[in-house]
């Protein structure tokens, strides 16, 4: 029996992905700060911002199963507000969860994957890592950082037969929307723009793809003999990301601004 470890498995995309892997016969370990309730999943608690807590979790898993075949770095969160008024604390926190969380888990699992001679690491990034969204700047920046971290480490660990990739889902209907930390402090100069921008984003998320679909795609990609470097999920997002490679960056930035910027508003 193969083993997959999924961070952020108590909700949304991670939970749905855990269900698919379980159905396909994997031993599934779910890591989060809470203990999940789904049958057949082994939950271990850890905060991804703590390397020590992840190190302990992977040690325990390695003692229970012969191999750790796949790690899915899915735990993540969002913040919103203008860059100017984001608190240093919030900016650090989102980087701690979304970027250092991925770093911590990769750092903890790689020794086991190297020793067993194989492994796959799938980092859940976002389309926002390619197309940076106003008033979600720090979220976009963390996902861009995950993309770049992945591009480099993929090359570093290739000789160990460890493959690393990014999956960039478009909007998905999950509790992510509810869990987003909204900054409403000191935003007087931005007027209603933040609210309107967030409204567009939240509506897209809540009308987004079901997490069950995203879970199935993540499973399908994970089974490829050779993992691609990037996989975008969602037809319209594939088109956006594809076009953004060829169109001038200023044009792409203006298009994003016309959807989320409300630059003509007070
Ligand atoms: N929803 C979307 O539209 C969308 C689009 C693109 C990418 N994504 C990405 O997909 C991933 C999953 O998001 P989701 O939509 O499924 O969100 P979600 O429903 O809010 O789930 C987030 C998961 O992360 C866990 N988590 C959060 N902080 C953690 C921490 N410090 N340590 C350990 N676990 C932590 C949560 O569990 P606990 O609270 O129990 O710790 C939960 O299981 C994120 O990386 C997100 O950026 C989402």
């Amino acid at each position: 029996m193969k083993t997959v470890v999924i961070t952020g498995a108590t909700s949304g995309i991670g939970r749905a992905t855990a269900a698919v892997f379980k159905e396909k016969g994997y031993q599934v370990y779910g890591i989060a700060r809470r203990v999940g309730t789904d049958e057949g999943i082994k939950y271990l608690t850890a905060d991804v911002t703590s390397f020590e807590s992840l190190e302990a979790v992977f040690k325990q898993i390695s003692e229970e199963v012969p191999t750790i075949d796949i790690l899915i770095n899915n735990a993540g969160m969002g913040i919103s507000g203008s860059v100017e008024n984001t608190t240093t604390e919030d900016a650090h926190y989102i980087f701690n969860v979304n970027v250092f969380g991925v770093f911590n888990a990769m750092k903890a699992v790689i020794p086991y994957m190297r020793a067993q001679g194989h492994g796959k690491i799938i980092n859940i990034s976002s389309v926002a890592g390619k197309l940076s969204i106003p008033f979600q700047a720090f979220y976009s920046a963390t996902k861009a950082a995950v993309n770049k971290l992945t591009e480099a480490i993929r090359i570093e660990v290739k000789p160990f037969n460890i493959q690393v990739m990014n999956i960039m889902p478009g909007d998905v209907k999950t509790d992510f929307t509810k869990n987003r930390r909204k900054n409403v402090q000191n935003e007087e100069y931005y007027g209603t723009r933040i609210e309107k921008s967030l409204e567009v984003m939240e509506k897209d998320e809540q009308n987004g793809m079901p997490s069950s679909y995203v879970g199935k795609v993540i499973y399908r990609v994970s089974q490829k003999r050779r993992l691609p470097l990037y996989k975008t999920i969602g037809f319209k997002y594939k088109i956006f990301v594809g076009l953004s490679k060829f169109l001038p960056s200023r044009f792409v930035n203006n298009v994003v601004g016309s959807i989320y910027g409300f630059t003509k508003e007070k």
Side-chain angles (χ1 to χ4, degrees):
M1 190 187 252
K2 286 188 173 176
T3 297
V4 62
V5 180
I6 304 172
T7 68
T10 50
S11 170
I13 296 171
R15 185 178 182 189
T17 306
V20 179
F21 274 91
K22 190 194 85 178
E23 188 194 303
K24 298 290 182 183
Y26 272 74
Q27 171 65 70
V28 184
Y29 283 89
I31 300 177
R33 292 164 302 179
R34 291 169 292 164
V35 177
T37 50
D38 294 344
E39 254 178 56
I41 312 288
K42 285 196 177 184
Y43 293 100
L44 297 174
T45 51
D47 189 317
V48 294
T49 62
S50 154
F51 173 69
E52 287 71 26
S53 75
L54 285 175
E55 199 182 27
V57 154
F58 281 104
K59 184 170 181 296
Q60 181 180 337
I61 297 172
S62 75
E63 287 164 1
E64 292 178 4
V65 293
T67 52
I68 301 174
D69 302 282
I70 304 176
L71 163 66
I72 301 177
N73 276 315
N74 162 80
M77 56 88 65
I79 65 174
S80 63
S82 68
V83 171
E84 182 185 349
N85 290 316
T86 298
T87 63
T88 305
E89 190 196 354
D90 278 356
H92 284 184
Y93 184 69
I94 193 170
F95 267 89
N96 270 336
V97 177
N98 293 5
V99 183
F100 290 102
V102 172
F103 163 61
N104 289 335
M106 292 199 295
K107 200 173 156 70
V109 83
I110 285 172
Y112 298 106
M113 289 185 167
R114 182 173 36 237
Q116 72 199 18
H118 73 273
K120 289 176 175 170
I121 300 174
I122 298 175
N123 294 331
I124 307 302
S125 165
S126 168
V127 169
K130 286 278 181 192
L131 302 169
S132 197
I133 316 288
F135 309 117
Q136 311 256 357
F138 282 97
Y139 179 69
S140 302
T142 61
K143 294 303 185 180
V146 168
N147 286 351
K148 290 299 161 187
L149 199 62
T150 305
E151 286 179 12
I153 198 172
R154 178 178 163 106
I155 302 166
E156 293 177 9
V157 298
K158 198 173 177 182
F160 312 140
N161 195 25
I162 301 172
Q163 300 184 59
V164 195
M165 75 170 295
N166 285 308
I167 290 191
M168 301 192 299
D171 295 305
V172 189
K173 186 175 176 1
T174 69
D175 284 349
F176 186 86
T177 313
K178 187 180 80 190
N179 294 335
R180 179 181 280 119
R181 280 191 192 181
K182 291 183 195 176
N183 184 9
V184 287
Q185 303 267 303
N186 308 318
E187 297 287 16
E188 61 189 298
Y189 294 109
Y190 297 88
T192 55
R193 292 175 59 206
I194 300 177
E195 215 176 294
K196 286 183 175 158
S197 180
L198 210 61
E199 244 173 60
V200 175
M201 177 58 76
E202 291 187 335
K203 205 164 142 219
D204 285 349
E205 285 168 357
Q206 289 311 300
N207 292 319
M209 297 174 275
S211 51
S212 54
Y213 170 72
V214 176
K216 282 182 197 146
V217 178
I218 294 173
Y219 174 78
R220 229 178 22 243
V221 179
S222 78
Q223 300 305 299
K224 286 189 184 293
R225 204 164 61 81
R226 285 206 194 149
L227 295 187
L229 174 53
Y230 283 104
K231 166 86 185 164
T232 305
I233 306 182
F235 181 68
K236 74 176 180 197
Y237 307 97
K238 279 183 194 164
I239 293 178
F240 288 156
V241 171
L243 283 176
S244 70
K245 288 182 199 155
F246 304 105
L247 293 168
S249 49
R250 196 174 72 174
F251 177 79
V252 174
N253 193 252
N254 283 341
V255 172
V256 173
S258 70
I259 302 170
Y260 300 105
F262 296 94
T263 48
K264 303 217 162 44
E265 313 259 333
K266 285 263 177 205

